[in-house]
Amino acid sequence: TKRHLYLDVIRYMTRLPPAAMPPGRRVSTPEAVAHNVDLYLDAAQRNRVAWLAVSGGSGFGRDREIERLLTDVEEAYVDRIIEIFGADPREAPDAQRAALRCYGALAKAVSREWLADGRLSREQARVLLTESLIAIVGDISAKVLAAGDEVNA
């Protein structure tokens, strides 16, 4: 049906690429992060119009199936980031996963600033995303975890 085709296109556009490290040598975590940010930016640039539609959620209204699909994609990206930093996604605390979902929102905003609005160059987007992720996983996640477990306090 048209609906199934529509959902398949969204699944295709939001699929998580295979785990990637720069070929041929061992790399530091910052190099691995930068390489994976490049892959993210490549995918966004290659599929600019669809990427902006999916990352901004425009035109979807309140479609629960699409929202669920996009939530699953976000969680897969969070798992990937945790793996890049050498940890087991199943053991990541909820607060750390929340911080990484916030990074995902930042990545979407940076994509729009670069691709839609032209306020950032690709290199500026790359630096912003790479350095932000390293900071979130390092300093910020530790501070979020140290702030305690009281949810909705």
Side-chain angles (χ1 to χ4, degrees):
T1 66
K2 287 181 185 179
R3 171 79 176 161
H4 289 112
L5 177 60
Y6 177 67
L7 292 172
D8 284 346
V9 167
I10 292 172
R11 278 187 200 94
Y12 178 78
M13 294 306 304
T14 58
R15 75 192 181 286
L16 188 64
M21 297 297 168
R25 63 185 173 87
R26 292 187 62 97
V27 297
S28 67
T29 299
E31 287 175 300
V33 169
H35 182 73
N36 280 274
V37 165
D38 281 333
L39 294 175
Y40 170 84
L41 294 173
D42 289 345
Q45 188 171 29
R46 197 172 37 252
N47 305 295
R48 183 182 178 279
V49 172
W51 188 269
L52 289 169
V54 170
S55 70
S58 62
F60 294 136
R62 289 289 303 181
D63 187 316
R64 299 221 187 274
E65 192 169 3
I66 292 173
E67 289 174 358
R68 187 172 42 256
L69 190 153
L70 295 176
T71 297
D72 291 347
V73 169
E74 286 176 359
E75 290 303 318
Y77 272 96
V78 166
D79 289 349
R80 173 66 54 77
I81 292 168
I82 293 167
E83 290 167 353
I84 288 171
F85 282 90
D88 184 343
R90 296 169 298 189
E91 296 176 8
D94 288 341
Q96 186 176 46
R97 294 186 71 83
L100 292 174
R101 281 191 296 277
C102 291
Y103 172 78
L106 172 68
K108 291 175 192 175
V110 168
S111 297
R112 285 190 302 276
E113 292 288 331
W114 166 47
L115 292 171
D117 302 328
R119 291 187 282 244
L120 292 174
S121 69
R122 180 191 166 101
E123 185 57 23
Q124 288 170 322
R126 180 183 191 271
V127 169
L128 181 56
L129 291 176
T130 300
E131 296 302 319
S132 295
L133 181 56
I134 291 168
I136 287 170
V137 170
D139 296 337
I140 296 171
S141 285
K143 289 176 183 175
V144 168
L145 291 171
D149 294 333
E150 293 184 35
V151 178
N152 297 322

